[in-house]
């Protein structure tokens, strides 16, 4: 006989998924929920009101349900996750109101609305129809943008203007490819021309109306701390997290200085990094080198019993699409559709513009390439998201906590060094990137509590990490859009290390590194504080 409590909890989750996917159709496509593939998000007040009303009704029922003493630990966690997700939705839509403040939100909706239709494993006929439908709805999407945008932050206007170029190029590329297979070429051309016209109109609108935009991007101390608690499950205050970043920065600077002197014969680490960057693959061998490193990593994990690699997963390594190269200077990862049977992740590598672009090629030097591959592929993002996709609980697939998934990928960088996977030269690059993540803690807090301007933040990162000022400015721009996410790389990594120590102490002789990793990955990307509570309450073993 089926457990009625578990059935009720599953029903709540499925209702939420349907409500959520209906309101965020592009996100639904990325997740592998394909019934909304023809739509963009409706940003109107009526749609928002209906969405929030549906969430409120579900939340009321869920609050009554959560008091049931028969819930298991795992069921209680799912109920808590669902409640948190609803609260975060309300905070985002009613307090942060990005649809009134960030024009790049609309550009991304159009861009990724088309892109995910190419990326996901769809029937060819469905793909053609969905792409045609969404192209036809681009004018209405940007009409809403013009109606609802009020006083955006200047940095977000600039970001949107940059991203519009990518959208224009990708739309042209989509129309070119689609016209080869579409049975309605004339209609497609008409829709494409209307879409392109409206995109240009929106670009002009932004340039004229918001040339001197003075909106604020900072969410403030109170909201920042609320996100630390609600989204990340942290008990620490902003001051505690800031001290964590300052301590990590100081310690890592000392460690990299000492290691560089040891390895290089007393050469300063920034100079030594420049020397190591000159050791890189040839332009024509770049993708093959990444592919070979990914396979080597996978073999090392299995041979050394570091983590279980699930069946049926796969990873494709490919060049970054042209439209994304401005915002993905080196590499990126796209997870498999979490609600689909497909377990194929995508590891993007951004090639230099030409074989003569030696500066860009140096960013793919062997030492850096290795760290990037393990961060994005195995045992980093790809492996973690395959575990998440294999979970049965819908909310575990939906709740993507950055301190978990970014913390895990950064943890993997250091952990594989501990396991002897790389040498001291690579260690220097790992420490250099750790300094960067420590800077992110300080900049994330500084930007959103108004202790630091965008220019000050960029100069700080460029100085401490040997990053170009231009790259640092590009990096900082997305920090303004994702409060508490930049800090979560290093804070999450440190918390995972602490959690590992606590598990080792609690499990005693039953502990192994592989057991900890398999146990941790079976939670899904949920707040780390909840996982620590589960460990203290008896292990919190989750269902595969």
């Amino acid at each position: 006989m089926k457990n009625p409590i578990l059935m009720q909890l599953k029903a709540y989750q499925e209702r939420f998924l349907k409500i959520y996917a209906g309101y965020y159709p592009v996100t639904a496509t990325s997740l592998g929920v394909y019934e909304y593939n023809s739509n963009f998000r409706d940003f109107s007040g009526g749609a928002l009101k209906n969405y929030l009303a549906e969430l409120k009704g579900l939340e009321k029922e869920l609050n009554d349900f959560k008091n049931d003493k028969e819930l298991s630990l795992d069921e209680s966690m799912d109920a808590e996750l669902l409640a948190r997700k609803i609260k975060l939705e309300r905070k985002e839509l009613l307090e942060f109101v990005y649809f009134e403040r960030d024009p790049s939100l609309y550009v991304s909706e159009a861009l990724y609305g088309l892109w995910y239709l190419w990326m996901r494993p769809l029937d060819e006929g469905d793909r053609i129809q969905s792409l045609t439908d969404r192209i036809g709805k681009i004018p209405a999407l940007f009409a809403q943008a013009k109606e609802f945008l009020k006083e955006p932050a200047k940095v977000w206007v600039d970001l949107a203007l940059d991203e519009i170029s990518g959208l224009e190029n990708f739309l042209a590329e989509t129309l070119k490819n689609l016209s080869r297979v579409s049975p309605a070429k004339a209609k497609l051309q008409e829709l494409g021309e209307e879409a392109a016209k409206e995109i240009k109109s929106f670009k002009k609108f932004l340039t004229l109306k918001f040339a001197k935009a003075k909106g604020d991007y900072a969410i403030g101390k109170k909201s920042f701390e609320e996100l630390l608690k609600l989204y990340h499950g942290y008990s620490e205050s902003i001051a505690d997290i800031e001290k964590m970043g300052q301590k990590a920065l100081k310690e890592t600077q000392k460690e990299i200085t000492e290691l560089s002197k040891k390895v290089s014969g007393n050469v300063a680490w920034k100079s030594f990094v420049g020397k190591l960057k000159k050791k890189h693959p040839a332009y024509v061998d770049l993708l093959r080198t990444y592919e070979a490193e990914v396979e080597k990593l996978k073999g090392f994990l299995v041979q050394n019993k570091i983590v279980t690699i699930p069946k049926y997963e796969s990873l494709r390594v490919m060049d970054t699409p042209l439209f994304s190269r401005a915002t993905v200077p080196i590499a990126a990862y796209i997870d498999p559709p979490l609600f689909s049977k497909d377990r194929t992740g995508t590891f993007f590598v951004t090639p230099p513009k030409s074989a003569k672009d030696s500066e860009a090629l140096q960013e793919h030097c062997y030492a850096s390439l290795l760290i990037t591959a393990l961060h994005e592929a195995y045992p980093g993002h790809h492996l973690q998201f395959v575990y998440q996709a294999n979970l049965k609980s819908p909310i575990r697939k939906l709740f993507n906590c950055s301190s978990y998934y970014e913390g895990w990928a950064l943890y993997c960088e250091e952990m594989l060094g501990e396991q002897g996977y790389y040498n001291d030269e690579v260690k220097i690059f790992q420490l250099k990137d750790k300094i960067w993540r420590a800077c992110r803690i300080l900049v994330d807090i500084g930007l959103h509590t108004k202790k630091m301007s965008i220019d000050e933040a960029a100069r700080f990162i460029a100085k401490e990490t040997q990053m170009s000022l231009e790259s640092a400015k590009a990096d900082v721009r997305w920090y303004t859009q994702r409060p508490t996410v930049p800090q979560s790389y290093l804070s999450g990594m440190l918390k995972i290390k602490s959690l590992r120590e606590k598990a080792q102490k609690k499990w005693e002789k039953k502990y192994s590194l592989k057991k900890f990793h398999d146990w941790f990955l079976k939670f899904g990307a949920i707040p780390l504080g909840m996982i620590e509570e589960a460990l203290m309450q008896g292990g919190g073993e989750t269902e595969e």
Side-chain angles (χ1 to χ4, degrees):
M1 184 176 178
K2 292 185 177 180
N3 183 338
I5 294 177
L6 191 57
M7 290 174 64
Q8 189 178 0
L9 180 57
K10 186 178 180 182
Y12 284 138
Q13 294 187 56
E14 289 174 347
R15 278 174 57 196
F16 177 78
L17 174 62
K18 187 173 181 62
I19 295 167
Y20 182 82
Y23 190 66
Y24 298 106
V26 172
T27 300
T29 302
S30 76
L31 290 168
V33 179
Y34 299 133
E35 60 188 286
Y36 307 98
N37 280 356
S38 292
N39 300 333
F40 288 122
R41 176 178 161 189
D42 182 353
F43 289 88
S44 68
L48 174 61
K49 184 178 179 180
N50 290 338
Y51 177 60
L52 292 173
E54 288 184 288
L55 291 186
K56 186 175 182 180
L58 180 59
E59 184 178 44
K60 186 177 185 301
E61 293 178 44
L62 185 64
N63 286 337
D64 295 336
F65 172 78
K66 282 172 65 180
N67 295 325
D68 196 317
K69 295 180 180 179
E70 293 185 34
L71 289 176
S72 69
L73 175 60
D74 217 39
E75 291 161 0
S76 294
M77 291 176 73
D78 278 0
E80 174 62 22
L81 284 169
L82 189 51
R84 287 186 185 222
K85 183 67 175 173
I86 291 172
K87 288 176 183 176
L88 285 166
E89 280 296 294
R90 189 178 294 114
K91 189 172 186 65
E92 173 122 349
L93 294 167
L94 296 178
E95 184 178 330
F96 297 156
V97 286
Y98 289 119
F99 63 93
E100 293 182 354
R101 303 167 52 229
D102 186 356
S104 72
L105 185 66
Y106 296 89
V107 183
S108 295
E109 183 79 5
L111 184 54
Y112 289 100
L114 301 181
W115 186 69
Y116 273 117
L117 291 172
W118 285 115
M119 288 294 297
R120 291 320 189 200
L122 301 170
D123 173 81
E124 190 65 13
D126 291 340
R127 191 192 316 278
I128 292 168
Q129 187 60 56
S130 297
L131 281 164
T132 303
D133 288 344
R134 279 188 175 165
I135 289 169
K137 291 175 181 177
I138 284 176
L141 172 67
F142 284 113
Q144 285 197 333
K146 291 176 183 177
E147 180 181 356
F148 299 132
L149 282 169
K150 293 183 179 178
E151 190 62 49
K154 182 66 165 61
V155 62
W156 294 346
V157 174
D158 293 342
L159 192 59
L161 289 170
D162 287 347
E163 290 178 349
I164 283 173
S165 298
L167 173 58
E168 289 175 323
N169 292 336
F170 189 62
L171 175 62
E173 186 181 334
T174 292
L175 290 167
K176 182 180 177 181
N177 292 330
L178 202 54
S179 65
R180 297 190 184 114
V181 293
S182 174
K185 294 181 182 180
K187 181 64 175 176
L188 178 64
Q189 183 178 355
E190 180 184 341
L191 293 174
E193 288 174 355
E194 281 298 311
K197 179 182 176 182
E198 191 57 41
I199 292 168
K200 282 186 171 60
S201 174
F202 183 60
K203 184 176 183 179
K204 185 177 180 180
F205 167 80
L206 290 180
T207 304
L208 294 176
K209 185 166 184 177
F210 297 122
K212 297 180 180 179
K214 297 179 181 179
D216 200 355
Y217 57 79
I219 65 169
K221 181 179 178 181
K222 181 182 176 183
S223 287
F224 198 98
E225 290 198 326
E226 286 174 352
L227 287 180
L228 288 176
K229 183 178 181 180
L230 187 61
Y231 176 54
H232 299 282
Y234 287 5
S235 58
E236 294 89 346
S237 66
I238 283 183
D240 295 329
I241 300 296
E242 194 167 30
K243 287 176 184 176
M244 182 190 296
Q246 291 166 340
K247 183 173 183 284
L249 179 59
K250 185 176 180 180
E251 290 176 349
T252 310
Q253 286 172 330
K254 181 180 179 183
E255 187 177 359
I256 197 172
T257 298
E258 292 175 351
L259 182 61
S260 180
K261 287 181 179 179
K262 171 191 165 186
V263 176
S264 68
N266 221 29
V267 175
W269 74 264
K270 291 182 180 179
S271 298
F272 191 51
V273 163
K275 184 178 178 181
L276 292 176
K277 280 187 173 183
K278 294 178 181 179
K279 301 177 183 179
H280 56 75
Y283 176 80
V284 295
D285 295 329
L286 186 60
L287 211 59
R288 286 195 295 269
T289 306
Y290 272 99
E291 288 172 335
E293 188 60 49
V294 164
E295 288 304 309
K296 182 183 173 185
L297 279 160
K298 196 172 178 180
F300 183 85
L301 296 175
V302 173
Q303 183 179 351
N304 292 275
K305 299 180 179 179
I306 291 174
V307 65
T308 299
I309 298 179
K311 296 178 181 179
Y312 312 118
E313 62 79 28
S314 65
L315 179 67
R316 55 188 170 193
V317 183
M318 59 189 292
D319 287 338
T320 304
L322 287 170
F323 80 85
S324 288
R325 292 183 186 181
T327 52
V328 181
I330 299 172
Y333 172 75
I334 301 295
D335 46 298
L338 300 182
F339 285 88
S340 169
K341 292 181 179 179
D342 183 49
R343 293 292 179 268
T344 304
T346 306
F347 179 11
F348 287 129
V349 176
T350 303
K353 293 178 181 178
S354 72
K356 296 180 180 179
D357 190 353
S358 59
E359 185 176 345
L361 199 53
Q362 286 181 24
E363 295 303 319
H364 297 282
C365 69
Y366 290 111
S368 180
L369 181 154
L370 185 154
I371 294 295
T372 300
L374 73 87
H375 182 105
E376 304 293 354
Y378 303 96
H381 286 317
H382 175 62
L383 185 65
Q384 182 263 305
F385 278 110
V386 167
Y387 266 87
Q388 190 170 344
N390 284 342
L391 295 171
K392 292 180 181 179
S393 162
I395 192 60
R396 302 280 179 124
K397 296 174 188 278
L398 281 172
F399 202 111
N400 264 350
C401 182
S402 63
S403 52
Y404 183 103
Y405 64 81
E406 294 296 2
W408 167 258
L410 192 61
Y411 162 83
C412 290
E413 293 184 20
E414 192 159 295
M415 180 270 295
L416 279 188
E418 295 169 353
Q419 297 304 305
Y421 184 71
Y422 53 76
N423 61 24
D424 283 344
E425 288 189 353
V426 178
K427 177 70 175 176
I428 286 172
F429 272 78
Q430 183 260 319
L431 291 172
K432 176 180 76 71
D433 287 350
K434 191 175 179 181
I435 287 173
W436 177 30
R437 274 44 176 260
C439 289
R440 278 182 169 176
I441 290 181
L442 304 177
V443 168
D444 192 8
I445 292 172
L447 287 170
H448 287 286
T449 58
K450 298 188 178 181
K451 292 196 297 185
M452 199 179 275
S453 70
I454 289 175
D455 286 343
E456 288 169 339
R459 287 196 296 270
F460 173 68
I461 288 178
K463 177 187 174 185
E464 298 296 339
T465 65
Q466 206 192 22
M467 187 184 293
S468 71
L469 185 59
E470 184 179 352
S471 295
K473 285 181 179 178
D475 203 40
V476 167
R477 287 204 300 183
W478 78 260
Y479 298 0
T480 64
Q481 294 179 303
R482 300 293 303 280
T484 76
V485 172
Q487 67 80 32
S488 67
Y489 288 70
L490 186 57
S491 67
M493 176 260 210
L494 294 173
K495 281 181 170 290
I496 293 170
K497 287 185 71 174
S498 174
L499 192 64
R500 184 180 69 183
E501 292 171 3
K502 291 174 181 176
Q504 186 171 9
K505 184 177 180 180
K506 186 175 181 64
W507 296 343
E508 297 179 336
K509 293 181 180 180
K510 294 181 180 180
Y511 170 86
S512 72
L513 189 63
K514 182 173 179 290
K515 179 183 177 181
F516 171 74
H517 290 156
D518 289 358
W519 171 83
F520 179 79
L521 288 170
K522 288 175 185 176
F523 280 99
I526 70 173
L528 294 174
M530 291 180 67
I531 300 177
E532 183 174 354
E533 288 176 15
L535 177 67
M536 296 300 106
Q537 290 181 42
E541 294 285 358
T542 59
E543 196 179 352
E544 284 193 71

